[in-house]
Amino acid sequence: MRFDEGDLPVPFDGQEQQHSISRLWVRDEPSRSLDYASLAAISDSFFPRIFIRRRAPTPAGTVTLSTFFHADSVMLAEQGDRYMLGTARALNYRNSYFDQSAEILREVHKRGPRQSKAATA
């Protein structure tokens, strides 16, 4: 993982943030061609957003995890082992629960303007 923004705050400084966004480039290590198992593992690579928001150690666990694949096997094969852009965010924090959503985007280079395709976690 290579973070563009929103890396894990180490050391925690307790300075609450207005956002909880992480944006990073991610792929399997060691590198391998992308398949559904790999994409499922990558979609679960984001740490809890509360760590960015509160910048303090906070108990957190996964209650549910739903992953939706918006890609077919041809698109996965085209991706190969290149990095993909992952973005994660959360909006609600209350009663020791918080939501979190994430997207994994791949770049598609074909004729015409650059396009993006997504798998949403």
Side-chain angles (χ1 to χ4, degrees), residues 1-8 22-31 38-49 51-52 81-88 100 102-104:
M1 292 190 272
R2 297 184 311 184
F3 282 85
D4 179 52
E5 72 173 304
D7 197 353
L8 187 63
S22 286
R23 192 167 290 113
L24 60 133
W25 294 97
V26 62
R27 69 176 179 183
D28 278 329
E29 186 61 43
S31 67
S38 173
L39 188 55
I42 288 170
S43 73
D44 192 28
S45 63
F46 300 98
F47 54 83
R49 308 289 83 214
F51 294 165
I52 292 179
D81 66 348
R82 295 187 313 273
Y83 279 97
M84 295 173 291
L85 182 62
T87 303
Q100 179 167 315
E103 300 169 336
I104 307 290

Side-chain angles (χ1 to χ4, degrees), residues 5-20:
E5 72 173 304
D7 197 353
L8 187 63
V10 178
F12 288 119
D13 60 14
Q15 299 296 312
E16 189 157 324
Q17 304 296 301
Q18 293 299 313
H19 71 86
S20 63

Side-chain angles (χ1 to χ4, degrees), residues 60-117:
T62 300
V63 175
T64 63
L65 173 65
S66 300
T67 303
F68 303 91
F69 297 106
H70 301 283
D72 59 22
S73 57
V74 172
M75 293 169 72
L76 297 181
E78 287 174 351
Q79 178 63 28
D81 66 348
R82 295 187 313 273
Y83 279 97
M84 295 173 291
L85 182 62
T87 303
R89 68 191 62 76
L91 301 174
N92 296 301
Y93 305 85
R94 64 180 175 278
N95 301 326
S96 299
Y97 292 96
F98 59 95
D99 69 337
Q100 179 167 315
S101 63
E103 300 169 336
I104 307 290
L105 302 174
R106 73 175 183 107
E107 292 185 331
V108 179
H109 298 282
K110 294 187 176 187
R111 291 185 190 148
R114 194 163 78 180
Q115 305 166 342
S116 293
K117 300 290 181 181

